[in-house]
Amino acid sequence: MLIVQKFGGSSLAGAERLRRAASIIADSADAGNKVVAVVSARGDMTDELLGQARRISADAPARELDALLSCGETGSAAMTAMQLADMGKSCVSLTGAQAGILTDSVHGAARILSIDTARIMRELDAGKIVVAAGFQGAERGGDTTTLGRGSDTTAVELAAALKADRCEIYSDVDGIYTADPRLVTGAVRLDSIDYGDMLHLALHGSQVLHSRSVEAAMRANVRVHLLSSFTRREGTVMCKLDDRSGLCGVTRDPSLGTVSIIGREADAHVLAEAVAALAHSDIIVTRTELFDGGCSLLVSPDRLLPALEITHRRFFR
């Protein structure tokens, strides 16, 4: 099989976590698979680089900012390849440009136009594990571009271009839950989730997947396995589901002050129940929105977390 595996920054932060991620990659290769690993910048490297840039200039040129921020993923790819080599594996790290990722020229939020897979396939056919830098590509003139938040889109687009048999996204949570398990007690992991529901979760505050990666997976019908790099549990499969009945989760968006209930049954009745449940706990809802696939409630920022907990308890226990 040809497998694309993506590892987020939290999965690579520190030597121990880097070795754990490399072990997952190596185990997949040892099982006879061709493996392309896509990596994010380690830990908070992107934020640190952005902070350094802002200390130099409050209005840095977008081209130069992309050149700087891409260093996080490039370095991460090289270090992951070094770790794999130390484990006796034949491997090669590639930048986005070397991996054949062509983008438009919108620095900071570029979109992938096409992927020339020739270099990657050549390395795979030579028996090497390919470690590709996520979050980046190059425009037609050769300048480095970044794709916006995260490396998920790189992994999904590569899986589609390579016609991979499996696409795995590793993070610090073992799948999609009915709410963020780090914030809400009793959150339950979902075995599977439809592309549409995952897109709504991503657009309304969920941090597990970037919305662009969900759109890319939906467009190319790429089944994505959402896993944890810290456990070997099955995780959640994102795919097209024929039966999307029910509710799938509650999420929050601190920037908007909203709590959202996602699922095809999140109708006016569900919205009214949520408003009543919050009012019973003296949480005032100042605005509501009903949309296809969910509904949102606006509350005071200092009541956002309690509202999330109460809403989850009302519909998922």
Side-chain angles (χ1 to χ4, degrees):
M1 287 202 302
L2 196 164
I3 301 177
V4 173
Q5 298 177 323
K6 180 261 178 176
F7 293 88
S10 61
S11 298
L12 303 168
E16 182 179 347
R17 292 188 177 188
L18 180 64
R19 282 193 293 270
R20 188 192 299 268
S23 294
I24 294 172
I25 298 168
D27 286 349
S28 295
D30 288 344
N33 302 302
K34 294 181 177 180
V35 181
V36 177
V38 176
V39 294
S40 297
R42 302 176 70 206
D44 298 322
M45 177 61 70
T46 300
D47 290 337
E48 292 172 8
L49 291 171
L50 188 58
Q52 292 176 30
R54 286 174 175 166
R55 285 192 289 274
I56 295 170
S57 171
D59 189 24
R63 177 188 182 280
E64 306 311 329
L65 199 56
D66 270 4
L68 175 66
L69 296 183
S70 65
C71 292
E73 278 71 20
T74 301
S76 189
M79 293 185 72
T80 302
M82 290 177 191
Q83 179 63 63
L84 286 164
D86 190 63
M87 298 165 65
K89 305 303 174 187
S90 178
C91 56
V92 62
S93 67
L94 300 177
T95 65
Q98 290 170 333
I101 299 174
L102 177 68
T103 75
D104 60 25
S105 301
V106 182
H107 287 287
R111 288 186 178 274
I112 295 175
L113 300 177
S114 64
I115 300 178
D116 181 350
T117 61
R119 172 72 184 274
I120 292 177
M121 291 306 303
R122 188 164 67 248
E123 302 291 0
L124 291 174
D125 290 341
K128 295 179 182 178
I129 296 170
V130 172
V131 184
F135 181 61
Q136 62 178 255
E139 47 89 68
R140 294 188 189 280
D143 287 346
T144 298
T145 56
T146 63
L147 309 178
R149 178 183 160 269
S151 302
D152 303 330
T153 304
T154 303
V156 172
E157 294 277 19
L158 277 174
L162 292 164
K163 297 181 172 55
D165 299 289
R166 187 176 172 93
C167 180
E168 301 173 346
I169 306 288
Y170 287 88
S171 67
D172 55 359
V173 292
D174 60 340
I176 302 300
Y177 281 72
T178 51
D180 189 333
R182 295 164 293 194
L183 300 175
V184 176
T185 55
V188 178
R189 182 176 57 79
L190 304 175
D191 292 331
S192 59
I193 188 168
D194 184 80
Y195 296 121
D197 290 333
M198 187 66 241
L199 181 59
H200 282 306
L201 286 174
L203 290 172
H204 290 85
S206 173
Q207 299 295 305
V208 178
L209 281 178
H210 192 277
S211 59
R212 281 193 182 181
S213 68
V214 181
E215 292 170 350
M218 187 186 307
R219 184 171 61 250
N221 198 30
V222 175
R223 287 174 62 93
V224 178
H225 298 256
L226 303 158
L227 305 161
S228 169
S229 56
F230 306 116
T231 70
R232 292 301 178 106
R233 296 175 185 169
E234 286 298 312
T236 302
V237 177
M238 180 179 69
C239 59
K240 179 176 173 52
L241 297 177
D242 294 328
D243 181 13
R244 288 178 56 197
S245 60
L247 303 176
C248 69
V250 176
T251 189
R252 64 166 187 149
D253 188 335
S255 66
L256 298 176
T258 57
V259 170
S260 298
I261 306 164
I262 304 301
R264 298 199 69 175
E265 292 184 8
D267 54 13
H269 178 69
V270 167
L271 184 59
E273 284 190 51
V275 171
L278 294 178
H280 184 72
S281 297
D282 297 324
I283 297 178
I284 305 302
V285 177
T286 57
R287 191 175 72 238
T288 63
E289 178 188 3
L290 191 62
F291 52 88
D292 182 25
C295 57
S296 295
L297 307 91
L298 180 68
V299 301
S300 173
D302 63 320
R303 302 293 278 160
L304 194 56
L305 282 177
L308 183 69
E309 182 85 36
I310 291 165
T311 305
H312 183 270
R313 185 164 61 243
R314 173 63 187 81
F315 295 105
F316 292 97
R317 290 192 191 176

